[in-house]
Amino acid sequence: MSLVVQKFGGTSVADCEKILAAARKAIRAQQDGHRVVMVVSAMGKNTDMLVDLAGQITETPPAREMDMLLSTGEQVSVALMAMAIHSLGYKAISLTGGQIGIRTDSSHTKARIRSISTQRVLNLLDQGYIVIAAGFQGIDEDFNITTLGRGGSDTTAVALAAVLQADQCEIYTDVDGVYTTDPRVLPEARLCAQVSYEEMLELASLGAGVMHSRSIEFGKKFGVPIRVRSSFSDYPGSLIAANSEAPNLPVSGCAMTKDEARITVIGVPDVPGVSRRLFQPLAERKITIDMVVQNVGMDGRANVSFTVPRKELKAALKSVHESIADLAQDTHPPIEVHSDDQVSKVSAVGLGMATQVGVANRMFQALADAEINLQMITTSEIKISVLVSREQALPAVRVVHQAFELAQVPPGAVTEAQIPVAQKPVDAVDVVARLQSVGMEDLMIHEVTLDDSQAAIALTGVPNSPGVAAAIFQQLARADVFVDMIVQSYFTDENANLTWTVPRSQWEKAFAVAQQVVDLGLANHVQPYPTIAKLCVSGIGLRSHTLVGSLLFEALAEANINIRMMNTSEMRFNVVVDGRDGERGLRCLREAFGHYVR
Ligand code: ADP
Ligand code: ASP
Ligand code: MG
């Protein structure tokens, strides 16, 4: 008998009428012959209200007590849901995370699921109950209540679907499915029939709040078909599964992380181990860093810029000041730390960009035409992110959405009717068994690889004004150069730095373009790096597992290898090092990550 997990978000259970409507959906599914597990979020804005209450008592509530408080929201809604189903004449039982046996680690307010017991839920389902699980919560080894991070009920739902071998996980929410961008931000956004796990993982972690990104990690690891649909209509919604809607599309969606902050550290000694010194303490505090840009060292000093979520800026700055405290003592001129919390990250995501020329250029040109200044740029295989001032974020999303014609159905897109009835991959059972024994949400690395077929070019002294990146990458696209990684940051008003990698076979062509750029006065200096090595750690959920950065910086610092460039995505963490360090870097990273290769 098939099993479905149905998750109802806050707005879908915001009042008693909506709770009854959700109850009816579950009952209908049971009548259609499914065993039904519901996962329910706190009613409406209840969690926000609880956060606010805590804030009225203290600015720094202990994380353990925060979890005790926040978990009550879901306890209210599951009890009411069970009552609703009873009142309609059906059998239902509500269970907290602890009662189900959702075991997590002890990192309060951002706990990760280690294992889930299935016996009790399966027994209850066999007895004809609709089982209603409280979303977003679990218990640690000492029976402390933990929560999974805001929006975490999606993760509860997909994790339960994985361990229960559900046929489908349905996410009921307040929009009709996954759109090309947030439809509340951009009304012209288009509903997608299908989205691949990779794209959704990236979009979710770059700001598409419709899904908790960690839920997609589960989806991908365990092959759970996820259907996102509306609580308030009968539209089929969007399927999140292995394939995308139109695989060759360079960009299939865009997202915005409105509340970002940028930290720039100017004048750090350019020696191996600096990344470790700055970033490892941040990783240990579980602060996710993104858009990391380190410029080419001048006079033995380098500048480093990166972004953190705005609400973590204070903690991140404290960590950075601690990290540089002893370095700063004998560094003249002194190391400077600057920050800006009025910035937003706008990203374009698409599987097709991994193989196509000129995608970045198209995005930069459109932004330049709209006079939007790009303060930072970073790319990975399937995404391009730019940092802009917060007031330009919304116009930037609109421009990117238009530039890639996202409002139109792409040629060759699958239609709802063509989507096959989703099938779980055959080895899902094995994966569940294996990962239950180590920790379901533990880091999962696929492999560590070395690509020594590329070269890099760095431009320094690039002016801080709209259109510069567009001009440069337009020239490269015209010359048919395939650009892989791009990183750019403005360290001071005059001193921006822009680095990119190309296949070594195209290096001369790319260098000639860079030289022209200097001749045109768009940069002061071009620095060639004909022999670089790109080391790639690939896996699932690499950005959210801050452990990855920690292990990587530590391993390379121990081996005395300097990191020249890096970029991160949910599926890959790439670092560029000197060509001569490639083989050695590969060996030490393989050793560092060996334990996590699954
Ligand atoms: P729930 O309470 O059901 O979990 P959320 O508020 O967490 O709902 O997620 C749904 C919201 O996500 C939508 O109302 C929409 O504004 C936002 N959203 C952001 N990006 C997207 C996107 N690409 N597609 C659909 N919705 C999106
Ligand atoms: N109630 C929690 C929150 O608001 C979890 C969730 O809704 O997914 O973040
Ligand atoms: Mg949500």
Side-chain angles (χ1 to χ4, degrees), residues 7 151 154 209-210:
K7 179 257 171 177
D154 297 328
V210 63

Side-chain angles (χ1 to χ4, degrees), residues 3 72 292 315 350 376 385 459 484 491:
L3 193 158
T72 61
V292 185
M376 288 177 90
S385 295
L459 285 174
D484 180 18
F491 296 106

Side-chain angles (χ1 to χ4, degrees), residues 223-269:
V224 181
I226 302 168
R227 190 163 272 287
V228 183
R229 57 196 304 189
S230 170
S231 279
F232 314 121
S233 76
D234 278 326
Y235 291 126
S238 314
L239 181 70
I240 305 173
N243 298 322
S244 65
E245 195 178 35
N248 291 326
L249 216 55
V251 171
S252 54
C254 59
M256 156 170 83
T257 316
K258 204 163 175 214
D259 292 318
E260 284 281 279
R262 176 178 53 85
I263 297 181
T264 301
V265 190
I266 295 186
V268 287

Side-chain angles (χ1 to χ4, degrees), residues 272-285:
V274 166
S275 304
R276 169 170 65 171
R277 191 184 280 261
L278 281 177
F279 299 135
Q280 207 174 22
L282 290 165
E284 276 157 15
R285 289 175 165 92

Side-chain angles (χ1 to χ4, degrees), residues 143-398:
F143 300 95
N144 296 301
I145 297 177
T146 53
T147 65
L148 308 180
R150 297 300 308 270
S153 297
D154 297 328
T155 294
T156 307
V158 185
L160 271 170
V163 292
L164 295 168
Q165 305 284 301
D167 296 81
Q168 183 148 293
C169 182
E170 297 176 345
I171 304 288
Y172 286 94
T173 185
D174 58 2
V175 282
D176 286 333
V178 179
Y179 283 74
T180 47
T181 195
D182 188 341
R184 293 185 203 285
V185 169
L186 222 61
E188 64 264 39
R190 184 181 62 82
L191 180 64
C192 307
Q194 186 162 326
V195 187
S196 69
Y197 293 126
E198 276 94 337
E199 287 163 320
M200 194 66 234
L201 192 51
E202 209 56 58
L203 284 168
S205 106
L206 294 169
V210 63
M211 291 298 293
H212 194 229
S213 75
R214 281 162 49 195
S215 69
I216 312 299
E217 293 179 27
F218 273 103
K220 175 153 175 66
K221 267 186 196 168
F222 302 105
V224 181
I226 302 168
R227 190 163 272 287
V228 183
R229 57 196 304 189
S230 170
S231 279
F232 314 121
S233 76
D234 278 326
Y235 291 126
S238 314
L239 181 70
I240 305 173
N243 298 322
S244 65
E245 195 178 35
N248 291 326
L249 216 55
V251 171
S252 54
C254 59
M256 156 170 83
T257 316
K258 204 163 175 214
D259 292 318
E260 284 281 279
R262 176 178 53 85
I263 297 181
T264 301
V265 190
I266 295 186
V268 287
D270 187 22
V271 290
V274 166
S275 304
R276 169 170 65 171
R277 191 184 280 261
L278 281 177
F279 299 135
Q280 207 174 22
L282 290 165
E284 276 157 15
R285 289 175 165 92
K286 294 203 160 49
I287 297 175
T288 340
I289 56 164
D290 195 26
M291 300 193 82
V292 185
V293 181
Q294 177 162 358
N295 82 337
V296 189
M298 292 280 190
D299 312 322
R301 308 275 294 267
N303 305 334
V304 182
S305 258
F306 57 96
T307 59
V308 294
R310 189 176 176 213
K311 64 179 187 323
E312 314 237 53
L313 177 62
K314 218 165 135 191
L317 281 174
K318 185 164 179 273
S319 169
V320 167
H321 281 291
E322 279 168 21
S323 298
I324 61 169
D326 35 324
L327 277 182
Q329 277 172 7
D330 36 40
T331 313
H332 298 286
I335 301 174
E336 292 168 39
V337 180
H338 301 279
S339 64
D340 181 354
D341 68 354
Q342 296 301 313
V343 290
S344 304
K345 179 167 64 184
V346 173
S347 309
V349 173
L351 289 183
M353 77 172 69
T355 50
Q356 293 175 31
V357 170
V359 182
N361 158 53
R362 200 160 142 194
M363 176 160 162
F364 301 154
Q365 189 59 56
L367 290 163
D369 291 345
E371 305 254 321
I372 294 172
N373 194 29
L374 311 183
Q375 301 185 10
M376 288 177 90
I377 301 170
T378 54
T379 63
S380 80
E381 279 75 359
I382 67 161
K383 72 115 208 281
I384 302 166
S385 295
V386 295
L387 196 73
V388 298
S389 68
R390 183 155 310 123
E391 75 251 25
Q392 289 193 312
L394 178 54
V397 171
R398 184 171 297 123

